[in-house]
Amino acid sequence: MKKQKSIRGMQMEEPIFNIAVCDDELPDRDTIADMTKEVCDLDQINAQISCFGNAEELLKTMQEGKQYHMLLLDVMMPGQDGMELARYLREDKRKIPIVFISSNREMALRGYEVAAARYLAKPVDKERLREAVSFCYEQGRDNEEMLVPFNGGVRKVAPKEIYYIEIKGRKTRITQEKEEWDTPLTMEKLEMMLTGHKFIRCHQSFLVNCRYVRILCTSHLELMDGRCIPVSKHRIKKVREIFFQYMEH
């Protein structure tokens, strides 16, 4: 079952997480793609998986504008191998998470050269693959930026930089570590935009980032910097559920 956003009865699918699997061996490629689909379904990641038989084909697709959020690359391939492709992407300033896959365990030692996210030995272990996909998915979500209307224009902000959001009169105030600013967007719209980014709607007027919560009480949340955010009585059960799920991960 895919994750969905639910705002006032509307159901909206999570953005697609595009994964490329590149391996010159067809049986391995199919096995890895099928296993990746399985672990994405288990973790409710709305993934689209594309397969490539060589690095040149994958690179051409990316140069034509296709964007991937994660690469599963076989290290040893004829022609341009996975390591060469990864090095090219890093030199091109692309920060896409890369997971190397190889039967040559010594290649894992070279992963640091291109800031590889993980290395998986063949035959690929399903749980290790699941951890790698989850890690890359969360890393990608953390680094996303969204455009928010601000002062007659728009402003880029990463969800991980937001401490909490508060309704202030007819505007909505976004609070970050060292500043706060107003946007005409409604709380409901911002809540929808931040779905999947570990925010809790703890009160009609407050939306809080779980990563900055230090203490959960029945009447309030205490943040890392000491600020307290109220929790509505009718929301406390759901707040506990979401917060404990966050802590478990």
Side-chain angles (χ1 to χ4, degrees), residues 51-242:
C51 293
F52 298 88
N54 59 72
E56 290 89 348
E57 182 184 357
L58 171 56
L59 178 57
K60 180 181 178 182
T61 302
M62 295 177 70
Q63 290 174 331
E64 291 172 349
K66 178 66 175 181
Q67 294 187 350
Y68 294 101
H69 302 107
M70 175 183 179
L71 303 183
L72 286 160
L73 292 180
D74 183 17
V75 179
M76 308 296 288
M77 291 185 286
Q80 185 183 46
D81 63 25
M83 183 64 69
E84 290 174 353
L85 173 59
R87 187 173 290 110
Y88 173 85
L89 295 175
R90 294 300 183 244
E91 291 173 354
D92 198 38
K93 307 301 181 184
R94 303 198 191 198
K95 297 180 179 179
I96 177 172
I98 296 172
V99 174
F100 283 135
I101 299 175
S102 179
S103 55
N104 184 347
R105 295 176 184 270
E106 294 181 5
M107 296 304 298
L109 299 175
R110 296 181 56 194
Y112 74 92
E113 297 176 15
V114 290
R118 291 289 188 275
Y119 167 83
L120 302 177
K122 291 184 178 181
V124 174
D125 177 79
K126 185 175 180 179
E127 284 306 311
R128 293 197 65 185
L129 174 63
R130 184 178 183 182
E131 188 279 331
V133 172
S134 178
F135 175 82
C136 293
Y137 177 75
E138 294 297 333
Q139 185 180 61
R141 296 287 281 168
D142 278 349
N143 292 327
E144 284 180 6
E145 290 184 324
M146 56 186 192
L147 295 177
V148 180
F150 166 71
N151 199 25
V154 293
R155 177 169 177 165
K156 280 186 178 181
V157 61
K160 67 179 181 180
E161 298 172 350
I162 299 173
Y163 276 51
Y164 64 91
I165 300 172
E166 177 185 7
I167 295 175
K168 283 284 188 179
R170 295 183 179 180
K171 294 185 178 182
T172 310
R173 180 160 298 170
I174 294 177
T175 297
Q176 296 177 249
E177 182 180 10
K178 296 181 179 179
E179 64 176 326
E180 53 185 38
W181 45 282
D182 294 340
T183 175
L185 289 183
T186 64
M187 180 70 85
E188 285 73 21
K189 176 63 176 178
L190 286 167
E191 185 177 11
M192 182 179 72
M193 291 169 66
L194 290 164
T195 299
H197 286 285
K198 309 178 184 72
F199 278 74
I200 302 176
R201 186 71 180 271
C202 61
H203 186 280
Q204 180 65 25
S205 300
F206 287 90
L207 184 64
V208 180
N209 193 335
C210 283
R211 71 170 66 226
Y212 299 116
V213 176
R214 186 166 69 91
I215 299 175
L216 167 60
C217 301
T218 55
S219 61
H220 68 275
L221 300 171
E222 183 177 322
L223 305 189
M224 298 295 185
D225 61 5
R227 280 180 284 194
C228 292
I229 307 297
V231 176
S232 299
K233 289 182 179 180
H234 72 281
R235 293 179 187 264
I236 185 61
K237 183 177 179 181
K238 187 65 176 178
V239 169
R240 282 198 184 111
E241 178 184 328
I242 295 173

